Amino acid sequence: MQDLHLRGDNLAKIAALVAYAQGKGLQVILDRHDYKRHSAADAWAFWRGVLPAFSADTLIELANEPVKEYPAGANQWMVSAQDTKDTVALFRANGITNPILYGSPGYSATFRFVKFKSAKAPAEGMGDAIDRVGGIGDPLNKTFFSGHRYLDSGSSGTKAACATAGDAGIGEWAASMRKRGIKGYFTEFAYGRHSGVPALCAEVGAAMMAAVKANSDVILGTTVWGGGRAWPEGYAFKVESPKGTFKTAADSPYVAQLTGR
């Protein structure tokens, strides 16, 4: 979601789609997809006009990959952690009981969550920054980290080939959350498409998904990238079969692996 989605009847259309999906037993995350840092006051100004249209079990993500608009010279990790803590406090004080997701600088990367040098050095990861602000402090215990991970070089999600080994650090991410009493959702990742998985991605992709399942006590759910009719057929990470074949296409081993089947 962005500000433009609050115009006209857009919000009502989105609410109808969300209710339909929830009626099918799905969890739905509303994601403020603008890549910006938001103070608690800014977050409240946006979401207070949105949330009355949705049920209290609808998850809300405060910002997708908040990498922009931090104060000059500020430690972005510390600002982001304090913003999250302040926003959760403000939302709960105003009666918002929805589950809340938060991202972090560094494009919400799972492998940056655990980056740490020493207590005397500046914070360089969200887990470290959360420690330094004294935790998120949600009285409902319903605030979760939203983690992203791609397997190409630089974890950019722009190339189909994988350049990562092991479980792509998912076990380490889970252990770091568990240590802090934090839980999360794995909300953006990909390593194949409906038609198959590149050879270089098969082993690490399987290991990553095994790590997700093995750490289900702290990794509560996943949303894979990327689905929807807007994607061109040639998109490297398109999880759906070609348009017009949804009812007749063969099952995808990649999708089966992503969904644990």
Side-chain angles (χ1 to χ4, degrees):
M1 302 184 73
Q2 295 185 14
D3 293 325
L4 62 89
H5 295 125
L6 304 183
R7 301 171 189 166
D9 62 353
N10 289 339
L11 186 59
K13 291 178 179 179
I14 294 171
L17 288 169
V18 168
Y20 176 82
Q22 291 172 329
K24 298 294 184 181
L26 296 176
Q27 287 187 307
V28 178
I29 301 171
L30 299 176
D31 175 12
R32 192 175 183 185
H33 208 89
D34 62 3
Y35 301 91
K36 296 178 182 179
R37 171 249 171 170
H38 298 289
S39 67
D42 178 72
W44 178 241
F46 177 83
W47 288 103
R48 69 183 178 187
V50 172
L51 292 177
F54 300 93
S55 64
D57 59 348
T58 305
L59 288 77
I60 57 174
E61 183 162 358
L62 300 177
N64 173 70
E65 299 182 348
V67 298
K68 301 178 181 178
E69 300 187 6
Y70 288 86
N75 182 300
Q76 295 184 1
W77 304 101
M78 293 300 297
V79 172
S80 186
Q82 190 64 55
D83 282 343
T84 302
K85 184 172 185 174
D86 293 345
T87 300
V88 170
L90 182 60
F91 279 34
R92 299 308 187 217
N94 280 278
I96 301 301
T97 62
N98 297 66
I100 297 172
L101 276 65
Y102 61 95
S104 68
Y107 296 93
S108 300
T110 55
F111 61 85
R112 293 189 177 102
F113 186 89
V114 299
K115 190 171 183 181
F116 176 74
K117 289 185 177 180
S118 76
K120 295 181 180 180
E124 293 187 18
M126 198 59 172
D128 181 25
I130 289 171
D131 290 344
R132 297 186 191 204
V133 300
I136 297 301
D138 183 357
L140 303 182
N141 199 28
K142 291 166 60 176
T143 297
F144 310 107
F145 181 69
S146 173
H148 298 178
R149 183 68 163 109
Y150 289 99
L151 307 181
D152 57 342
S153 59
S155 189
S156 64
T158 58
K159 299 176 287 292
C162 294
T164 307
D167 67 0
I170 297 304
E172 185 180 14
W173 171 48
S176 183
M177 289 196 295
R178 188 178 294 113
K179 175 183 177 181
R180 293 170 168 82
I182 293 171
K183 297 182 180 181
Y185 283 78
F186 197 21
T187 53
E188 190 173 319
F189 64 99
Y191 57 92
R193 52 179 286 119
H194 185 276
S195 58
V197 176
L200 291 175
C201 300
E203 183 174 345
V204 65
M208 182 173 73
M209 296 314 300
V212 170
K213 294 178 70 174
N215 292 283
S216 59
D217 61 315
V218 291
I219 302 176
L220 303 182
T222 62
T223 59
V224 66
W225 191 268
R229 297 181 180 181
W231 291 114
E233 299 299 347
Y235 181 54
F237 301 124
K238 186 173 184 291
V239 298
E240 297 165 327
S241 64
K243 294 178 178 65
T245 69
F246 292 168
K247 294 182 179 180
T248 60
D251 290 341
S252 167
Y254 175 58
V255 174
Q257 188 173 67
L258 294 176
T259 54
R261 296 200 297 270

